[in-house]
């Protein structure tokens, strides 16, 4: 089962022929948030030689590998291979290199980048990824308290709530629990709540 990181992590294995490889992990929700993470690392370590990275998202499925000036396929792909091998999703891994003066060759770079990525991922706490879907629930004010109680009992976060002529909840619901949640909201409102679910 795929897992996702619970928090950022950083690890620096021993230098290889004078070069430092600093691996950083962050949970991300899309490519834009991954690029923000890479940019932050560039600002934190502006004198580094390379910031090579890989991204893997579950929904929509996306894999990206960036060599950042290293020989093609010698950095980003090994980082991505470490991610895929551990079945981690919604993650960005950046390996920052400080060049130590000795060239490692493509094989040496593959081992160094892949090894640093594997090492930091092995130290990163993860949880099983639960597939979710967005819901919009519309209901009258008289049903608000009952729906609040039902969501709390089901462990579904309230999400974004809009108050207009009616109350509108934007929920994130685990796909596996969809039918049970729909039944509970129907029961709580005597069928008055309107559910919009992706299909």
């Amino acid at each position: 089962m795929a897992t996702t990181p619970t928090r950022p992590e950083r690890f620096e294995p021993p230098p290889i022929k004078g070069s430092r490889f600093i691996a950083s992990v962050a949970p991300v929700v899309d490519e834009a948030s991954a690029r923000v993470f890479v940019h932050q690392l560039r600002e934190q370590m502006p004198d580094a030689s390379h910031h090579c990275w890989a991204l893997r998202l579950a929904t929509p499925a996306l894999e990206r590998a960036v060599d950042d000036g290293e020989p093609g396929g010698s950095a980003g792909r090994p980082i991505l291979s470490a991610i895929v091998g551990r079945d981690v999703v919604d993650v960005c891994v950046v390996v920052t290199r400080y060049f130590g003066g000795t060239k490692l060759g493509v094989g040496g770079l593959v081992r160094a980048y892949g090894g640093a990525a594997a090492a930091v991922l092995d130290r990163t706490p993860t949880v099983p990824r639960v597939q979710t879907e967005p819901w919009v629930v519309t209901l009258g004010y008289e049903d608000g308290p009952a729906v609040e109680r039902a969501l709390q009992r089901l462990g579904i976060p309230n999400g974004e709530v809009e108050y207009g002529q009616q109350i509108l909840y934007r929920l994130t619901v685990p796909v596996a629990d969809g039918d049970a949640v729909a039944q509970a909201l129907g029961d709580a409102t005597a069928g008055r709540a309107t559910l919009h679910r992706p299909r």
Side-chain angles (χ1 to χ4, degrees):
M1 172 186 283
T3 64
T4 189
T6 58
R7 60 178 169 80
E9 188 68 53
R10 182 172 293 174
F11 178 71
E12 182 177 353
I16 300 173
K17 295 185 178 179
S19 283
R20 295 171 60 200
F21 293 86
I22 303 166
S24 305
V25 171
V28 295
V29 295
D30 53 23
E31 186 169 357
S33 57
R35 290 186 181 277
V36 167
F37 177 56
V38 175
H39 179 72
Q40 289 170 342
L41 291 174
R42 287 186 195 282
E43 289 187 331
Q44 291 171 21
M45 296 178 270
D47 53 339
S49 310
H50 305 277
H51 297 279
C52 305
W53 58 279
L55 160 71
R56 187 175 188 225
L57 298 176
T59 307
L62 175 67
E63 293 181 353
R64 181 140 356 269
V66 177
D67 294 316
D68 192 39
E70 293 283 30
S74 67
R77 294 300 309 176
I79 296 169
L80 182 58
S81 292
I83 296 170
V84 172
R86 285 153 182 77
D87 201 11
V88 183
V89 294
D90 301 335
V91 64
C92 180
V93 178
V94 182
V95 179
T96 300
R97 181 187 185 187
Y98 285 87
F99 182 57
T102 301
K103 292 187 176 182
L104 303 181
V106 171
L109 290 173
V110 167
R111 287 187 295 276
Y113 280 103
V120 74
L121 286 166
D122 289 344
R123 288 165 170 77
T124 302
T126 61
V127 293
R129 182 185 183 275
V130 176
Q131 186 178 359
T132 60
E133 59 187 7
W135 284 25
V136 177
V137 181
T138 308
L139 54 122
Y141 281 85
E142 71 277 9
D143 291 320
V147 166
E148 292 275 351
R149 287 192 296 273
L151 292 174
Q152 190 172 20
R153 189 172 62 251
L154 292 163
I156 305 293
N158 283 357
E160 184 182 322
V161 184
E162 296 177 17
Y163 298 95
Q165 289 185 330
Q166 292 185 301
I167 302 175
L168 188 144
Y169 285 88
R170 297 185 190 280
L171 306 176
T172 301
V173 178
V175 171
D177 298 337
D179 290 342
V181 173
Q183 181 70 48
L185 293 178
D187 291 347
T189 63
R192 290 184 294 270
T194 303
L195 309 181
H196 297 282
R197 302 168 60 179
R199 281 289 174 242

